[in-house]
Amino acid sequence: MSDMTITSVLDTSGKCCPMPMVETNKAIKGLAVGDVLHIIATDVGTRKDIPSWCERTGQTLLSMTEQDGVINYHVRKDR
């Protein structure tokens, strides 16, 4: 993923369900097809919510990493 260009960053740290998903959905709508959204989250529920949301909405989850309670996602807008 070293050649990935991040278009926008969304920090949802400290927020719990449903806010990370509400904000993710809003952020992706503001991007162009092919753009990459970097989502920072601390809500463990996003581990299931983000991949499921990507599948339902036709976006691509490029990566998901977790360190010290912080989860980072990279999602490409495909629709």
Side-chain angles (χ1 to χ4, degrees), residues 6 13-14 19 21 24-26 37-39 42-44 46-47 52-55 66-67 69 71-73 75-77:
I6 296 168
S13 298
M19 292 316 295
M21 293 313 307
T24 296
N25 198 45
K26 183 178 178 182
L37 177 63
H38 175 188
I39 305 159
T42 53
D43 179 2
V44 296
T46 62
R47 290 182 197 144
S52 175
W53 173 82
C54 286
E55 197 171 303
E66 185 172 355
Q67 184 174 356
I71 312 161
N72 289 277
Y73 303 92
V75 176
R76 184 181 63 227
K77 181 173 181 172

Side-chain angles (χ1 to χ4, degrees), residues 6-22:
I6 296 168
T7 307
S8 185
V9 177
L10 174 64
D11 189 349
T12 67
S13 298
K15 297 178 182 176
C16 55
C17 190
M19 292 316 295
M21 293 313 307
V22 169

Side-chain angles (χ1 to χ4, degrees), residues 61-76:
L61 179 60
L62 299 171
S63 70
M64 180 176 93
T65 59
E66 185 172 355
Q67 184 174 356
D68 300 325
V70 177
I71 312 161
N72 289 277
Y73 303 92
H74 292 98
V75 176
R76 184 181 63 227

